[in-house]
Amino acid sequence: MLQINQLKLPVEEASTKENEYSALLYRIAGSLHLNSDMIDEIQIQKKSLDARKKPQLFYVYCISFKIKNSSLEEKILKKKHSADITRFKLVSYQLEMTGTKKMLHRPIIIGMGPAGLFCGYTLSKAGYCPVIYERGKRVEERIRDVEEFWKNGKLLINSNVQFGEGGAGTFSDGKLNTLIKDKNGRNREVLRIFVENGAPEHILYDSKPHIGTDILSKTVASMRNKMLEWGAEINYESTVTDFRIEKNIVTGIEINNKKIIPAETVILAIGHSARDTFETLYHHNIPMVAKDFAVGMRLQHRQEHIDYIQYGRDNRGKSFPAASYKLAAKTAQDRGVYSFCMCPGGYVVNASSEENRLAINGMSYSGRNANNANSAIIMSVTKADFGSDHPLAGIHFQRELEEKAYKLGNGSIPIQYYHDFTGKSGKREYIKEPFEPCIKGSYIFSDLRSLFSDSVKAAFIEGMTQFGNIIPGFDDDYCILAGVESRTSSPVRILRDTVYESEVKGLYPCGEGAGYAGGITSAAMDGLAIAEVIAKKYYP
Ligand SMILES: Cc1cc2nc3c(=O)[nH]c(=O)nc-3n(C[C@H](O)[C@H](O)[C@H](O)COP(=O)(O)OP(=O)(O)OC[C@H]3O[C@@H](n4cnc5c(N)ncnc54)[C@H](O)[C@@H]3O)c2cc1C
């Protein structure tokens, strides 16, 4: 098999799958001076959108293909071509089951977010019959609880946007890209498992794969059903409230403050919002440290404005995706300000999980066809901002912000036009008049200026000004702010060694909550890594 890299196609030629296929075939044949009948098994391996020459837009591909007369392949590789032709190699993922130790107890997984779910899926498929404890509910019931919360403000502290089957990522934009290097095929394996459970094939090659909440929740249910078929046991509404540790070895867990379960291997995949569990772990002297993260506010623009700026075109219709952006700046005070978890054609959502505290995030459906684009504009915060290096100081810092946001909105999401936040106005070149916010959960106009310290607020405005120089209209008067984005990543890191084990033997800190991942795919990859460790140590 061969592959051709950096093959460009005007987006108009890829308006349908059939058009795309014949245009690619024609170009590959052309660049090899071969008859297109000689080429077979064309497969897109990578596809990205190139808007550098906007309004002319191109898709850039990496395509694998076969020459029917295979003896020709060597000749083609040796010959000089205008196109970049190489040999195609597919990295396939393999779980090495070389464990020689007998398990005294079935492996226990705490939490069914991407980390716990992909660890559980891989161990179940390999015959390890894991037992999972999830404090929330099955995804179908959870969706009802979250919709009820957004409609009537009734928060269930264990069934919400943060907690429940599928974890924090279930009500999300479902962006599946990650910056983590993928030496061992885990990234592709995560995407392959999503496709195996109903996600569209194109996520395997899109440079920015995304599936949206509607598809994500279905893949979670499909994975769960397969795990049960393969012998896993899943316990919902089962919060791990304590741990049994003897001579620095985990020997058991406690469920819902009553039931004790003996344990030997415990995968701690609790996510960044399990503050009560972090406190329990701290009181057991589980080695952990405070971790820097970032906080900020969500910013909304009209999606058509972002499309126009990024693509140089109006009315993109269905032919190419809603435009996105990724921005980063450094302030004069050397604080990082950047856009985070951008949701094209999405919603700002109330993502709270504690009474009288309000946290927001963003989500979209697979179609990304809501009227507004949003992202979090966040500023890095460190122990200096927390005012202490206590391992749980970051949690305290988050809670303070969320209490302020709750009060500013009187329980609803507090929002404000940018010019009211800065106290300056007159920038209405691109956003000439106010527009309707896209928000899941009740919201109210309020004054967000007291949310952050002066230095964090100043950094925000400095960053926005820099971004307005990159994307015209980005800091216009009528763009809409909402507060507070406080859970951008875990405020703690639970220490582990090179084989992913805590100093407390048998305990495996995993995923975002443990401080080793940021995002759905990287958390799932961390889950796979721990499944590999278990499979190398124990036999099923
Ligand atoms: C609204 C929103 C949108 C997001 N959008 C994206 C996106 O588009 N793309 C992206 O890559 N990332 C996104 N993220 C981040 C992503 O969701 C997380 O990085 C990812 O879910 C982390 O996975 P995890 O398995 O480590 O933890 P989590 O997903 O947080 O899962 C932890 C699970 O553990 C359970 N749990 C916690 N404590 C206990 C306990 N004591 N006992 C039993 N169970 C427990 C929780 O109920 C939860 O289900 C988003 C997050 C949110 C909140």
Side-chain angles (χ1 to χ4, degrees), residues 144-155 411-412 441-442:
R144 284 195 290 278
D145 293 341
V146 169
E147 296 286 354
E148 174 68 18
F149 169 56
W150 285 336
K151 216 153 116 237
N152 307 319
K154 190 164 145 270
L155 175 69
S412 297
S442 61

Side-chain angles (χ1 to χ4, degrees), residues 267-395:
I267 293 126
L268 198 59
I270 56 174
H272 59 30
S273 292
R275 296 163 172 176
D276 51 354
T277 318
F278 290 138
E279 282 157 3
T280 306
L281 292 162
Y282 176 73
H283 295 305
H284 276 291
N285 302 321
I286 306 290
M288 59 166 74
V289 291
K291 186 175 84 43
D292 297 352
F293 56 101
V295 294
M297 294 180 280
R298 266 204 182 245
L299 178 72
Q300 291 185 63
H301 298 94
R302 299 282 289 172
Q303 182 60 49
E304 63 197 17
H305 172 195
I306 302 298
D307 289 344
Y308 181 73
I309 298 296
Q310 300 295 67
Y311 294 152
R313 301 178 176 203
D314 287 323
N315 313 335
R316 70 182 150 78
K318 290 214 174 325
S319 38
F320 39 92
S324 61
Y325 56 75
K326 196 171 175 54
L327 299 162
K330 245 318 179 226
T331 67
Q333 307 308 321
D334 204 29
R335 195 191 285 268
V337 185
Y338 46 100
S339 65
F340 173 75
C341 191
M342 197 252 167
C343 299
Y347 301 83
V348 171
V349 299
N350 191 328
S352 306
S353 63
E354 292 183 339
E355 297 289 359
N356 308 327
R357 294 185 180 119
L358 193 143
I360 62 172
N361 208 305
M363 71 162 255
S364 71
Y365 296 103
S366 51
R368 283 181 161 171
N369 38 27
N371 292 335
N372 296 354
N374 77 68
S375 77
I377 303 299
I378 55 177
M379 292 70 69
S380 48
V381 287
T382 66
K383 297 179 195 68
D385 299 292
F386 309 159
S388 142
D389 60 5
H390 184 284
L392 304 181
I395 292 177

Side-chain angles (χ1 to χ4, degrees), residues 92-127:
S92 62
Y93 178 85
Q94 195 61 40
L95 182 73
E96 279 177 43
M97 297 174 56
T98 50
T100 53
K101 217 167 158 225
K102 178 173 171 28
M103 290 189 122
L104 301 176
H105 302 288
R106 297 162 69 172
I108 286 177
I109 300 176
I110 307 176
M112 218 172 151
L117 184 63
F118 279 77
C119 182
Y121 188 87
T122 305
L123 286 177
S124 307
K125 196 169 185 179

Side-chain angles (χ1 to χ4, degrees), residues 74-85:
E74 282 316 315
K75 284 202 192 97
I76 288 171
L77 281 171
K78 287 201 183 80
K79 225 164 135 211
K80 268 218 133 326
H81 299 280
S82 56
D84 171 4
I85 310 285

